[in-house]
Amino acid sequence: MNLSFTQTALVTRRVAGNGIALRPCGGMGRDVDLLSLKCGLVQIAAEYVNVCFFQSTPVAFVIPQSLDRTPNTYRYLSPPRRSTILRLGILVLHLYLRSTLTSLSWEPPLRDSMDPVSRDLDRQTTDPRPAMDATADVQTQMGDMQIGGGTEDMVVDDYDVLDDKPDVAEITPDDSPDENAEPLANDYDAMRERILPILPDLESEYEATDTWRIENYRSMTRKERGPKFECGGHPWRILLFPFGNNVDFASLYLEQAHEDEDKPPDNWYACVQFTLVMWNRTEPSITACHTANHRFTAEESDWGFTRFTELRKMFAARWEGSARPMVEDEAVNITAYVRIYKDPTGVLWHNFVNYHSKKETGMVGLKNQGATCYLNSLLQSLYFTNAFRKAIYRIPTENDAERKNSAWALQRLFYLLQTNEEAVSTQELTASFGWETKHIFEQQDVQELSRILMERMEERMKGTDAENALAKMFVGKMKTYISCINVDYESSRIEDFWDIQLNVSGNKSLDDSFKDYIQVETMDGENKYFAEGHGLQDARKGVIFESFPQVLHLQLKRFEYDINRDAMMKVNDRYEFPEVFDATPYLSEGADKSEPYTYNLHGVLVHSGDLTAGHYYAFLKPTADGHFYRFDDDKVTRATLKEALEENFGGDYANMVNGHVGVRNPYTRTLSTKRSMSAYMLVYIRQSKEKELLLNVSEADTPPHLAKQLNEERAAMEKRRRDREEQHLYLAISVVTEDIFKSYQGFDLTNWETDPAAPLIPQTYRVLRASTMGDFTKSVAESLQLPAEQIRLWVMVNRQNKTTRPDQPVLDLNMTVNEAYSRYSSRDKPFRFWVETTTNLEDGNPPWPNVNLAPGVAPPILIFLKHFDAEGQTLQGVGHVYMKKTAKVAEIIPTIQRMMGWPTSKDSVSASPTSSSPLSASTNSLSPTPSILLFEEIKHSMIEPMKAKSTLQQAEIQDGDIICFQKTLSEKESSVIASAGGYTDAREFYDYLLNRIVVKFSPKFSADQEDNVFSLALSRKMSYDQFSAKVGEHLRTDPTHLRFSTILASTGKPRQVVRRNAGATLSQILLPTLGAYANSNQRVDALFFEVLEMSISELETKRSIRVFWLPDGITKEDPVDILAPKVGVVQDLIPPIAKKMNLSDEAESKLRIYECHGGKIIKEHNPGTVLASIPDYSTLYAELIPEEEENAGEEDRAIYAFHFDKEPSKTHGVPFKFVAKPGELFKDTKERLSKRTGIKGKQFEKVRFAVTQRSAYARPIYLSDEDELCAVTLRSDDQLALDHVNRTKLYPGKGDSIFIR
């Protein structure tokens, strides 16, 4: 502790140039007692004194830290007390210095330069007796109070010791800070009270204290455990890593001490608050402690502090300023203070790892898709309103069970919540709403969603048993009235309400909000009410409730516009609501009160965060006599009544420590002293109807088709799960048969990808790897309804040219499927077979051509044949044949003729004129046999003609190769086929197949697109005109009137109109790499189409212009899209507007169009203005010329007006033209402005008016009611400016309006 006082308090002269440092101590041979002031338990003895004599530096009097026991106690002393203690210290120190410094060559300071206190001390005129009396008074009256400075020296300067007036120390026991004294570690009760206070709102169940006395600390092993002790009927102990758990700190933990043979019970846990204290057994004031709360389980059996205390400090000679070390003589004590709390909710300090809502609470939550927590909280609230759930189940959906039916989707969701073991997804429901991905990540208003959902469900209930079920539950009645005071006249209307919006701001409780809601407004003075038949009368205006619904939904207006911040803000003020609410005081006198309107709280929907970031969850009470539960997305936990009510009142945090800056919001990451979590919707249920509304919902109440559907889905899901688990035991084998080959049109033998349009597709078998190939062959034979002896399997291999062909037959049927897979297939390739069948038997066995051959005889080659039919534009398999390798290519012709049923002739084969031409089979003049062309299908992009005289071996034909044939066409036949858009050559048709793509066409603006969607197989090489002709043929419309648009893959919405370009191909339009259509987010298999009233050529001469029609002032805008000639004039825009808006001829003649940019009017266009002069970035407005402008006088002047928000550069809204009248005060002008703009009431009152120039940086001059608009707008560029809030920016994070399809 440093006591620093000014240089005049002791000495003022510098001695020996550098000053003198005096350090007397007991070791110097004499007992020095500089200052003996007994304050409490501590004897402040000056064993060390350090006095430096500097003329310009304060003198410091140092008292060792080891003598200080209570940190910062000195600062709590009153000024008189401080003065008394300092004066005593100065006196004793002065006397000591005079006696000690006599041997030094020291000249006393000049008395004239001393302060009065130092001068008296120097003259020895100060009477020490009052000081001694004061010392006695301090000792007797202050008792055990300490003066200390803690771990750091406390510096006290500028003391009032220099005051001339004597101070009187008034010391009483009431002022003594004894409660701040640190208890000793061996005083266990005092230590527990100090370091382990009972946590508020929790009930302590058990307590225990145990001390582990450690000897030979340095001899301990890496991990040591203390003796066991009991707390709460379970064993505990201290776990110590003496030299750190991989850190340079002693690591200390508390662990439950159940051994392997004495395991804790199933689901055992204990909620423990504990403190571990390490202390010096000789000096128990030397301590180090840490406190923690933890939920101990069998899995998390220990908890504590890896960095409990630093090792180098533990073994240092002095522990944090004390005279002793922490570990002294290799010994130290560790005390564990343990307190076990009751767990009322079952989740106190739970980490929610492996938490199972269904097991713990019997209920499941809803998965959050992105930002759908608001939806989840509302759905849970409606689900646990059991009468609502039963009403939803009564909607007939058996014949309308489809994805877009929101009633069916809601039924499924409720049934899954009722029967599932895990959290339920809301994807089906949001898909039925018609929501896209962007809607999933936008938070919407819960009240708006609730109303729309109720409307949709009511629509589905019309004409069913459930009709009006929702209205009976949720609809109340309120009366809006205006009642005259002096005459018997009242105007009123009674309206239904589904929920009530209550103000939070300015109200402290629910009752205050209802009083505010039904507050009566008096209409008098200038605001008198015009009563029919009575004229202007004083009246009362208000709202009163005629009845409340059985389920009362209260929307608390937590979000309001803050005029000071110019933004929407969340109201976090404290707002109380009761568990039981009596609504009777808010009913009209004539309301039916035969049953009490007393309501029990059923649900509290909570928002945590602020306007831009936050989270929604709900507290619900599923049963009338049960507990509240917290539904936080997929997690359901038990909650206390305080958690459901008081903690959601909002307002300031309780028990905030002085100087605390606030609590950090987990969603906005900001600090605040106010609670960010607060109720925004309350659900109350009428007590008299509680049994009816919360009745039990059983399996019998659910639609039977729901259970059947979901059970089938669950069975299929369970089967898929088992299949995944057993997948390593099985192998998927695909098989293609002769019938599949014959029905297939394309490359190779079949299309291995699943094609729903194909008549036959390869069959996939799930085969046990350990089974034999013989077993698999029998399975295939059974599916083909053939004996196993009549089929043979050929292994299909993937060739290097990316084709898949049969390679060799499987002869060893005893090998396992796994062995065959290892031998014939690659590990990363699918296992495929071709099935060869025969009906010819020799001695009961099939005569396979390449089996049982004579030695030296080469096996025949397996060849597949395809036929290209030019007339039918088809390419299909015919079958397979075996040919010798040495056979000529031409020898295959008779086989083809026989298989096709064509006429044959022995001498019908002749070679082509040139060897490089395709092989032809022609007839003599007497034979009707057609000519045939042969091609080899080498790979998808290589179809080569075959040479007539070459052998199959020379042509490199091998097992599994494909030969395609076609008839030779005459010129007339070819021209007919070509004119119809067909292909006359097999190679051309192969090229078409290579570039074939199935494109899905959808109407761009059709209300029901699914009824008009179709798909066409087109070639990627087709030009715009070619594929447009195909679409026109399908639609039976002129292709020149078709316009196409590309589609965004992410949203499914139109991206860009496809411009007609004769050089562009379908591939360039659908798969763009460069150019106008290049976009990775574009669908490659779909286009939008629209049928135009004019041809594309004519359309290209038009220009699309959007004009905003203003029907009523400037508050409403209706967009009108017009196709006008590019060389047209403004007059061409007027008739389409008049036609769409149903304007009369007279009104059409008064229509005008003006151009705006940057929120200001650029010019008013006359009918002859050329449209090409209007830039695309400008905005066009159309309106009827106002009557006052038509009737304007000669002196009246028209000016332009615009809107801005605080700064003229921040424009918004619709600018307009206004008439300024000379001599008219602005208060009268404002009435005309309200009529001209359509802005009325409070919204108009918030508008400030100014005059400014067209420039964006002009300074606005605000107008008062006594100004004249004509007098202040003298310059030609002066404009009237309306300063008010831009409403479009109030909800920066809010997306499109919510909807349900």
Side-chain angles (χ1 to χ4, degrees):
M1 178 178 69
N2 285 352
L3 301 182
S4 177
F5 27 90
T6 60
Q7 58 183 2
T8 56
L10 290 179
V11 291
T12 58
R13 171 168 288 186
R14 182 174 178 180
V15 180
N18 294 323
I20 299 175
L22 301 178
R23 299 179 181 273
C25 64
M28 294 179 64
R30 55 173 168 167
D31 185 16
V32 179
D33 186 5
L34 294 182
L35 178 62
S36 179
L37 295 178
K38 182 174 177 57
C39 297
L41 298 176
V42 181
Q43 177 71 35
I44 302 180
E47 297 182 8
Y48 302 94
V49 177
N50 185 3
V51 181
C52 298
F53 299 88
F54 292 100
Q55 190 161 354
S56 60
T57 305
V59 177
F61 172 50
V62 182
I63 294 179
Q65 294 177 349
S66 60
L67 300 179
D68 184 18
R69 296 291 178 243
T70 306
N72 300 326
T73 303
Y74 184 81
R75 69 179 62 177
Y76 297 110
L77 299 179
S78 63
R81 230 174 261 178
R82 294 183 191 175
S83 177
T84 302
I85 293 172
L86 290 174
R87 286 177 181 274
L88 290 172
I90 293 168
L91 173 62
V92 175
L93 184 60
H94 181 78
L95 296 176
Y96 171 78
L97 290 176
R98 287 185 63 87
S99 62
T100 304
L101 300 178
T102 51
S103 61
L104 299 176
S105 300
W106 176 66
E107 180 181 351
L110 298 176
R111 289 174 180 170
D112 293 339
S113 62
M114 296 181 182
D115 65 8
V117 177
S118 299
R119 189 182 303 114
D120 291 342
L121 289 172
D122 188 65
R123 291 174 177 173
Q124 298 184 7
T125 58
T126 300
D127 187 359
R129 285 177 296 178
M132 295 301 111
D133 294 339
T135 303
D137 186 64
V138 169
Q139 292 177 347
T140 56
Q141 295 190 37
M142 290 181 64
D144 294 337
M145 188 188 74
Q146 304 175 18
I147 299 178
T151 57
E152 296 182 0
D153 295 339
M154 181 178 70
V155 179
V156 184
D157 50 15
D158 297 331
Y159 291 108
D160 51 359
V161 67
L162 303 180
D163 294 345
D164 293 334
K165 295 186 295 181
D167 293 321
V168 179
E170 297 180 2
I171 304 173
T172 63
D174 294 338
D175 297 330
S176 176
D178 288 347
E179 64 275 7
N180 294 323
E182 289 285 355
L184 299 179
N186 54 5
D187 187 351
Y188 298 124
D189 293 337
M191 280 292 287
R192 182 189 300 107
E193 184 179 352
R194 183 63 178 269
I195 64 177
L196 201 68
I198 295 178
L199 298 176
D201 305 323
L202 292 177
E203 183 179 353
S204 175
E205 193 171 14
Y206 304 102
E207 288 185 356
T209 303
D210 184 74
T211 299
W212 179 14
R213 293 169 175 79
I214 299 175
E215 308 286 349
N216 301 320
Y217 191 96
R218 295 182 187 273
S219 302
M220 300 178 79
T221 60
R222 179 180 178 275
K223 181 192 295 187
E224 296 283 349
R225 287 181 168 85
K228 292 183 181 181
F229 62 95
E230 185 177 304
C231 183
H234 298 282
W236 304 86
R237 63 189 171 197
I238 298 170
L239 173 62
L240 171 65
F241 290 80
F243 306 103
N245 189 4
N246 300 319
V247 293
D248 294 331
F249 289 73
S251 302
L252 204 53
Y253 308 89
L254 177 70
E255 72 170 357
Q256 55 93 356
H258 286 285
E259 303 294 347
D260 293 338
E261 63 277 3
D262 181 29
K263 292 183 178 180
D266 293 340
N267 300 322
W268 172 86
Y269 71 91
C271 298
V272 180
Q273 176 195 22
F274 66 94
T275 298
L276 300 178
V277 182
M278 181 181 288
W279 51 285
N280 184 308
R281 65 175 57 177
T282 306
E283 180 54 68
S285 62
I286 300 176
T287 62
C289 66
H290 292 285
T291 303
N293 307 325
H294 184 63
R295 184 186 187 92
F296 285 84
T297 64
E299 292 78 20
E300 289 190 356
S301 58
D302 60 78
W303 196 258
F305 315 96
T306 302
R307 297 172 177 266
F308 185 84
T309 186
E310 200 170 356
L311 291 172
R312 65 179 182 85
K313 288 186 178 181
M314 287 175 57
F315 296 100
R318 296 173 180 270
W319 169 262
E320 296 185 351
S322 63
R324 297 175 179 273
M326 173 64 77
V327 180
E328 187 172 12
D329 298 331
E330 298 297 314
V332 71
N333 287 354
I334 300 176
T335 300
Y337 297 87
V338 179
R339 179 179 292 124
I340 298 178
Y341 287 96
K342 292 182 179 179
D343 183 10
T345 63
V347 292
L348 179 63
W349 303 329
H350 205 301
N351 61 8
F352 294 103
V353 175
N354 299 323
Y355 179 79
H356 197 281
S357 296
K358 187 78 170 184
K359 292 179 181 177
E360 300 296 334
T361 65
M363 295 165 285
V364 297
L366 293 169
K367 296 178 182 177
N368 192 333
Q369 295 185 55
T372 56
C373 49
Y374 72 98
L375 172 66
N376 293 348
S377 60
L378 176 64
L379 290 174
Q380 292 282 20
S381 170
L382 295 175
Y383 171 80
F384 284 106
T385 307
N386 295 352
F388 176 84
R389 195 193 328 170
K390 291 190 73 170
I392 295 298
Y393 283 154
R394 289 162 58 192
I395 300 175
T397 59
E398 186 173 5
N399 299 324
D400 195 17
E402 55 182 10
R403 185 177 175 85
K404 64 181 182 180
N405 185 349
S406 55
W408 174 77
L410 189 59
Q411 285 179 345
R412 280 175 60 92
L413 180 76
F414 282 176
Y415 185 79
L416 288 171
L417 284 173
Q418 196 170 311
T419 59
N420 248 30
E421 294 295 320
E422 303 292 340
V424 179
S425 172
T426 57
Q427 287 184 345
E428 282 186 349
L429 183 66
T430 54
S432 73
F433 291 169
W435 292 3
E436 300 173 356
T437 304
K438 69 173 185 177
H439 300 115
I440 299 303
F441 290 92
E442 291 175 351
Q443 286 191 349
Q444 299 287 354
D445 181 59
V446 173
Q447 180 198 18
E448 187 180 2
L449 173 63
S450 176
R451 287 185 178 180
I452 295 175
L453 183 62
M454 295 289 187
E455 289 175 5
R456 294 295 176 270
M457 294 304 106
E458 274 219 309
E459 292 173 3
R460 296 283 183 177
M461 291 178 178
K462 286 182 179 178
T464 69
D465 295 341
E467 188 172 3
N468 295 325
L470 299 187
K472 291 178 182 177
M473 279 186 278
F474 297 100
V475 173
K477 295 185 181 298
M478 67 170 65
K479 181 174 77 171
T480 304
Y481 65 89
I482 299 177
S483 178
C484 293
I485 298 175
N486 301 318
V487 296
D488 186 16
Y489 182 86
E490 180 179 283
S491 172
S492 64
R493 69 177 185 274
I494 296 178
E495 300 173 317
D496 293 342
F497 67 88
W498 290 77
D499 53 42
I500 304 173
Q501 291 191 56
L502 299 174
N503 289 323
V504 173
S505 182
N507 297 306
K508 295 182 179 180
S509 66
L510 190 63
D511 283 304
D512 289 347
S513 290
F514 267 97
K515 291 174 184 176
D516 176 62
Y517 197 92
I518 64 172
Q519 185 177 7
V520 177
E521 176 188 353
T522 302
M523 303 176 68
D524 55 8
E526 295 181 356
N527 195 31
K528 285 187 177 182
Y529 173 67
F530 182 81
E532 187 175 353
H534 300 280
L536 293 175
Q537 294 288 332
D538 293 341
R540 295 185 179 93
K541 178 182 178 182
V543 174
I544 194 68
F545 293 96
E546 293 294 325
S547 66
F548 287 103
Q550 299 174 6
V551 181
L552 183 59
H553 280 185
L554 303 178
Q555 304 287 340
L556 307 183
K557 295 168 69 173
R558 282 285 180 183
F559 296 97
E560 289 188 353
Y561 173 70
D562 188 330
I563 193 170
N564 296 321
R565 293 183 174 88
D566 185 20
M568 292 293 291
M569 300 294 293
K570 184 179 179 183
V571 180
N572 284 319
D573 298 344
R574 183 176 177 85
Y575 182 87
E576 299 180 5
F577 48 89
E579 187 180 5
V580 179
F581 171 63
D582 184 8
T584 306
Y586 313 111
L587 289 168
S588 66
E589 295 180 359
D592 180 11
K593 302 177 183 177
S594 56
E595 287 186 37
Y597 280 91
T598 306
Y599 288 82
N600 289 336
L601 183 64
H602 175 67
V604 182
L605 278 62
V606 181
H607 176 266
S608 176
D610 60 16
L611 180 71
T612 57
H615 180 59
Y616 294 83
Y617 50 92
F619 290 93
L620 300 171
K621 192 176 180 183
T623 58
D625 54 353
H627 303 282
F628 275 96
Y629 291 85
R630 172 171 169 155
F631 294 82
D632 191 350
D633 286 339
D634 56 352
K635 191 165 54 194
V636 183
T637 57
R638 168 90 176 275
T640 62
L641 186 62
K642 180 180 180 181
E643 289 173 336
L645 272 76
E646 185 177 340
E647 292 188 2
N648 298 309
F649 287 165
D652 294 331
Y653 283 99
N655 303 321
M656 288 288 289
V657 180
N658 186 27
H660 202 289
V661 294
V663 177
R664 187 174 298 279
N665 186 297
Y667 306 104
T668 62
R669 309 303 300 166
T670 57
L671 293 171
S672 175
T673 58
K674 285 185 176 292
R675 294 180 183 272
S676 65
M677 68 288 290
S678 52
Y680 72 93
M681 178 176 171
L682 304 176
V683 182
Y684 281 93
I685 290 181
R686 195 171 179 181
Q687 280 185 355
S688 59
K689 303 293 183 182
E690 205 164 30
K691 291 183 178 179
E692 300 175 20
L693 295 169
L694 299 182
L695 74 174
N696 185 46
V697 181
S698 63
E699 186 75 20
D701 297 316
T702 61
H705 67 276
L706 268 186
K708 180 181 177 183
Q709 246 178 6
L710 289 169
N711 289 336
E712 290 174 355
E713 292 175 7
R714 287 168 178 166
M717 188 181 302
E718 178 64 21
K719 182 179 181 302
R720 289 194 296 270
R721 185 191 64 80
R722 289 198 305 268
D723 290 347
R724 284 194 302 269
E725 291 178 354
E726 300 173 355
Q727 188 173 2
H728 64 286
L729 301 175
Y730 290 85
L731 184 65
I733 301 177
S734 299
V735 173
V736 60
T737 64
E738 192 90 346
D739 291 337
I740 294 175
F741 172 62
K742 290 179 180 180
S743 66
Y744 171 65
Q745 178 168 287
F747 299 100
D748 286 344
L749 272 64
T750 188
N751 181 11
W752 296 104
E753 304 296 331
T754 302
D755 184 6
L760 294 173
I761 58 175
Q763 186 174 354
T764 301
Y765 295 83
R766 189 167 179 261
V767 185
L768 196 64
R769 289 175 178 266
S771 63
T772 64
M773 287 302 300
D775 297 333
F776 174 56
T777 303
K778 291 178 182 178
S779 299
V780 175
E782 288 177 4
S783 64
L784 298 176
Q785 297 181 353
L786 291 173
E789 295 80 12
Q790 295 184 18
I791 71 169
R792 185 168 65 159
L793 300 179
W794 283 68
V795 177
M796 301 192 72
V797 297
N798 297 311
R799 296 182 178 179
Q800 291 183 350
N801 60 7
K802 298 183 180 180
T803 61
T804 305
R805 306 288 175 81
D807 183 64
Q808 57 181 310
V810 177
L811 302 178
D812 184 4
L813 299 181
N814 293 321
M815 75 170 72
T816 64
V817 172
N818 195 53
E819 290 172 346
Y821 178 63
S822 302
R823 180 182 301 180
Y824 298 123
S825 181
S826 302
R827 288 289 181 182
D828 57 341
K829 302 295 182 183
F831 204 18
R832 295 166 177 168
F833 288 95
W834 172 67
V835 181
E836 182 182 11
T837 62
T838 183
T839 56
N840 299 324
L841 299 177
E842 295 179 1
D843 300 329
N845 295 317
W848 304 119
N850 54 357
V851 178
N852 301 325
L853 297 174
V857 177
I861 303 172
L862 173 66
I863 300 174
F864 291 89
L865 298 175
K866 286 184 180 180
H867 173 225
F868 169 58
D869 183 3
E871 294 179 358
Q873 293 291 295
T874 59
L875 175 69
Q876 289 181 307
V878 175
H880 70 279
V881 297
Y882 283 94
M883 298 290 293
K884 294 181 179 180
K885 291 183 179 181
T886 56
K888 299 289 186 181
V889 172
E891 294 178 19
I892 201 172
I893 297 297
T895 305
I896 292 174
Q897 292 172 335
R898 184 174 64 255
M899 295 176 71
M900 296 298 296
W902 293 340
T904 59
S905 176
K906 294 182 179 180
D907 301 323
S908 62
V909 180
S910 63
S912 299
T914 61
S915 60
S916 61
S917 301
L919 179 69
S920 294
S922 59
T923 64
N924 54 30
S925 59
L926 300 177
S927 173
T929 304
S931 298
I932 297 175
L933 298 176
L934 297 179
F935 303 89
E936 181 187 357
E937 181 185 320
I938 300 173
K939 61 180 181 179
H940 298 172
S941 59
M942 186 179 292
I943 312 299
E944 297 292 339
M946 302 187 69
K947 297 178 181 180
K949 297 181 181 180
S950 300
T951 64
L952 294 177
Q953 188 170 8
Q954 290 172 338
E956 298 182 355
I957 300 298
Q958 60 183 5
D959 284 330
D961 282 352
I962 299 174
I963 293 179
C964 174
F965 63 91
Q966 74 169 100
K967 290 181 181 180
T968 304
L969 301 174
S970 65
E971 291 184 4
K972 183 178 180 180
E973 291 172 331
S974 297
S975 62
V976 171
I977 294 172
S979 62
Y983 301 96
T984 59
D985 188 273
R987 287 169 291 186
E988 295 176 353
F989 193 77
Y990 268 107
D991 183 71
Y992 158 71
L993 293 178
L994 181 64
N995 293 284
R996 181 176 59 176
I997 181 174
V998 178
V999 182
K1000 181 180 180 181
F1001 292 91
S1002 306
K1004 189 174 183 178
F1005 300 114
S1006 176
D1008 191 1
Q1009 293 189 0
E1010 294 184 5
D1011 296 339
N1012 299 315
V1013 175
F1014 61 93
S1015 298
L1016 293 178
L1018 305 172
S1019 173
R1020 291 184 178 89
K1021 291 185 176 181
M1022 280 184 172
S1023 65
Y1024 180 95
D1025 291 338
Q1026 287 176 326
F1027 81 77
S1028 178
K1030 291 284 187 182
V1031 177
E1033 181 182 350
H1034 178 86
L1035 295 173
R1036 297 180 182 178
T1037 188
D1038 189 348
T1040 61
H1041 285 58
L1042 291 173
R1043 184 167 66 172
F1044 303 95
S1045 301
T1046 55
I1047 302 176
L1048 286 169
S1050 58
T1051 63
K1053 293 184 177 181
R1055 177 181 169 263
Q1056 188 174 7
V1057 172
V1058 178
R1059 300 181 66 87
R1060 182 178 177 272
N1061 183 355
T1065 64
L1066 182 60
S1067 177
Q1068 292 172 339
I1069 295 172
L1070 293 175
L1071 302 167
T1073 54
L1074 295 172
Y1077 307 106
N1079 192 333
S1080 60
N1081 190 27
Q1082 179 177 309
R1083 285 194 62 175
V1084 297
D1085 61 347
L1087 289 172
F1088 280 125
F1089 73 89
E1090 50 185 319
V1091 181
L1092 306 176
E1093 297 179 355
M1094 63 188 73
S1095 67
I1096 294 292
S1097 302
E1098 185 182 355
L1099 181 64
E1100 291 176 350
T1101 65
K1102 304 287 185 179
R1103 175 186 176 186
S1104 179
I1105 298 177
R1106 171 167 287 188
V1107 181
F1108 290 93
W1109 167 248
L1110 305 175
D1112 183 20
I1114 60 172
T1115 57
K1116 184 179 179 182
E1117 306 172 41
D1118 292 330
V1120 180
D1121 292 314
I1122 303 170
L1123 279 176
K1126 290 183 178 179
V1127 295
V1129 293
V1130 170
Q1131 178 61 40
D1132 297 329
L1133 304 178
I1134 295 178
I1137 297 174
K1139 180 180 179 181
K1140 186 169 184 179
M1141 297 303 157
N1142 297 319
L1143 300 180
S1144 64
D1145 294 340
E1146 182 183 357
E1148 182 179 345
S1149 64
K1150 298 179 181 180
L1151 194 148
R1152 71 173 171 200
I1153 295 176
Y1154 57 93
E1155 176 189 347
C1156 302
H1157 179 63
K1160 298 181 180 179
I1161 297 177
I1162 302 299
K1163 65 173 69 172
E1164 184 179 344
H1165 291 296
N1166 59 54
T1169 302
V1170 179
L1171 293 178
S1173 65
I1174 302 176
D1176 293 334
Y1177 56 77
S1178 292
T1179 304
L1180 295 179
Y1181 291 98
E1183 67 172 355
L1184 296 177
I1185 299 174
E1187 184 177 347
E1188 70 169 6
E1189 191 175 332
E1190 283 188 307
N1191 301 327
E1194 294 182 358
E1195 296 182 358
D1196 292 345
R1197 190 153 45 86
I1199 61 173
Y1200 290 148
F1202 69 95
H1203 310 261
F1204 72 96
D1205 189 351
K1206 293 186 178 180
E1207 298 178 13
S1209 60
K1210 297 180 179 179
T1211 59
H1212 63 90
V1214 180
F1216 60 96
K1217 193 176 181 180
F1218 183 69
V1219 176
K1221 296 182 177 294
E1224 182 183 56
L1225 295 179
F1226 196 70
K1227 64 180 180 180
D1228 299 323
T1229 304
K1230 287 198 294 186
E1231 294 181 6
R1232 293 193 299 112
L1233 275 168
S1234 176
K1235 182 179 178 181
R1236 172 71 177 91
T1237 59
I1239 304 174
K1240 301 176 182 178
K1242 293 184 178 180
Q1243 186 179 354
F1244 186 80
E1245 293 174 3
K1246 296 179 181 179
V1247 180
R1248 300 173 63 200
F1249 298 91
V1251 172
T1252 184
Q1253 285 75 47
R1254 181 183 295 275
S1255 170
Y1257 302 101
R1259 183 177 179 182
I1261 301 173
Y1262 288 92
L1263 303 175
S1264 66
D1265 287 348
E1266 304 304 320
D1267 288 330
E1268 294 182 17
L1269 185 58
C1270 268
V1272 295
T1273 54
L1274 300 177
R1275 296 173 53 176
S1276 60
D1277 63 341
D1278 281 343
Q1279 295 189 354
L1280 177 64
L1282 284 68
D1283 182 2
H1284 57 107
V1285 174
N1286 181 6
R1287 292 284 171 181
T1288 60
K1289 72 173 186 178
L1290 295 184
Y1291 299 91
K1294 187 175 173 64
D1296 299 337
S1297 297
I1298 197 168
F1299 66 94
I1300 296 179
R1301 181 169 55 193

